Amino acid sequence: MDNSVLLSASHLKKKYRIDRKNSIFAVNDVSLDIFTGETLALVGESGCGKSTLSKILMQIIKPDEGTVSFEGKEISSLSERALRPYISRMQMVFQDPASSLDPRMKIRDIIAEPLKAFKIYGTQAEMNERILELTDMVELKEDCLNRYPHEFSGGQKQRIGIARAIAASPKLLVCDESVSALDVCVQAQILNLLKRLKNQLGLTCLFISHDLSVVSFIADRVCVMKNGAICELAPAEKIYSAPEHEYTKYLLASVYCP
Ligand SMILES: Nc1ncnc2c1ncn2[C@@H]1O[C@H](COP(=O)(O)OP(=O)(O)OP(=O)(O)O)[C@@H](O)[C@H]1O
Ligand SMILES: [Mg+2]
């Protein structure tokens, strides 16, 4: 981990209306830095704003207030066109491997999607070579490429999702509950794969999970969110051995079984 900041969020706010009279802050004045090469975990109870925050960081939704900078450049005010080169360097692995893969597309085309969208490879031969390389990186066999998503297990589908996410050589990989839908054994395999790819490719990771035991395996630092705000952000070993905030202690007591 080096000390340069890859992504910086400053005073982000996002309010949602819940009925005619009331609204809630899904994200309420969040500022944080993600350092190049680190894995930052985002934890907190369901509904605390983790996905909303990650979508703002990825420019999928616009905040009501605040800014996001990536590689030192403020990107939150850029036009869609100006944003494209930055978007290719921040990619996402989703929670549900089944619904995040188009059932009508062959695996080859799913993995090729970002390569085509960001016009990364010129010739078909170069593209095919890259697809094979990605298939190998996520430990799938070459013969999977002409098959469809429904022919694969949950763990295999998530490997395909990871291959697609790393295809455009992103700097930042955002994993939103990426192993939550998998059973414990497959979870461990996918976590090991993510950890290996992170080191091999020099990725920076934002790893979102409600499961503190999963987070302890992968995180360098942990950011604890409650009601749209950060209540504690510290190195993982500090969070687990000497949590400061009452809410962090509560989360550890309720979820983490040493
Ligand atoms: N598009 C939307 N419209 C209205 N309310 C929304 C919208 N998206 C999120 N919310 C609300 O914002 C709050 C934060 O939601 P968010 O999905 O970010 O939480 P989360 O921490 O990711 O939860 P989970 O762990 O269940 O995935 C919730 O109260 C949710 O109902
Ligand atoms: Mg979520």
Side-chain angles (χ1 to χ4, degrees):
M1 182 160 78
D2 68 36
N3 279 333
S4 69
V5 174
L6 180 65
L7 184 143
S8 182
S10 177
H11 299 291
L12 294 175
K13 286 189 182 180
K14 182 78 186 175
K15 196 154 69 169
Y16 284 119
R17 189 164 282 245
I18 46 176
D19 56 40
R20 280 175 63 187
K21 282 195 188 135
N22 303 299
S23 46
I24 51 140
F25 273 108
V27 174
N28 193 0
D29 201 17
V30 167
S31 298
L32 59 81
D33 289 332
I34 303 178
F35 294 103
T36 303
E38 78 167 335
T39 297
L40 176 67
L42 196 54
V43 302
E45 280 169 293
S46 179
C48 73
K50 305 180 296 292
S51 295
T52 305
L53 175 61
S54 70
K55 285 178 196 158
I56 295 172
L57 299 180
M58 301 281 289
Q59 309 301 305
I60 296 168
I61 54 177
K62 289 275 174 211
D64 300 329
E65 287 178 41
T67 57
V68 178
S69 298
F70 188 71
E71 298 173 331
K73 164 99 176 157
E74 199 212 301
I75 56 169
S76 40
S77 54
L78 294 180
S79 67
E80 212 168 297
R81 193 187 164 89
L83 201 55
R84 278 182 75 80
Y86 294 97
I87 295 296
S88 72
R89 299 208 284 281
M90 32 170 56
Q91 292 290 306
M92 199 148 183
V93 180
F94 296 94
Q95 169 166 12
D96 182 0
S99 66
S100 63
L101 305 177
D102 187 335
R104 293 158 304 183
M105 283 171 76
K106 286 186 178 171
I107 306 310
R108 170 187 305 285
D109 298 320
I110 291 173
I111 298 176
E113 238 184 348
L115 302 175
K116 289 178 184 161
F118 300 114
K119 299 188 174 61
I120 292 176
Y121 289 90
T123 68
Q124 190 63 44
E126 282 171 343
M127 173 103 72
N128 289 343
E129 199 177 312
R130 177 66 174 155
I131 292 169
L132 283 178
E133 186 184 25
L134 290 161
T135 310
D136 187 52
M137 275 178 173
V138 298
E139 298 159 351
L140 285 173
K141 295 204 178 76
E142 196 180 323
D143 65 10
C144 81
L145 292 172
N146 288 322
R147 291 157 62 190
Y148 291 90
H150 75 268
E151 297 174 59
F152 295 89
S153 70
Q156 287 171 324
K157 284 194 190 96
Q158 206 51 308
R159 287 176 192 272
I160 297 163
I162 293 169
R164 176 177 60 184
I166 60 171
S169 305
K171 290 264 178 67
L172 177 68
L173 194 64
V174 175
C175 303
D176 189 354
E177 302 280 7
S178 302
V179 298
S180 309
L182 307 171
D183 73 51
V184 175
C185 187
V186 181
Q187 254 187 12
Q189 292 167 9
I190 299 296
L191 283 171
N192 275 317
L193 174 67
L194 283 170
K195 219 171 173 175
R196 183 172 61 66
L197 288 174
K198 184 201 160 248
N199 292 333
Q200 190 182 336
L201 305 173
L203 293 167
T204 303
C205 273
L206 178 64
F207 188 88
I208 301 169
S209 179
H210 64 277
D211 186 339
L212 279 160
S213 57
V214 163
V215 165
S216 71
F217 179 75
I218 202 156
D220 297 310
R221 291 192 304 151
V222 178
C223 176
V224 182
M225 266 183 96
K226 186 186 182 200
N227 296 338
I230 294 176
C231 55
E232 186 163 358
L233 201 173
E237 58 277 13
K238 166 104 184 10
I239 290 278
Y240 287 94
S241 63
E244 274 181 16
H245 199 284
E246 284 308 314
Y247 182 67
T248 312
K249 290 179 195 170
Y250 161 78
L251 271 188
L252 285 167
S254 60
V255 183
Y256 188 54
C257 311

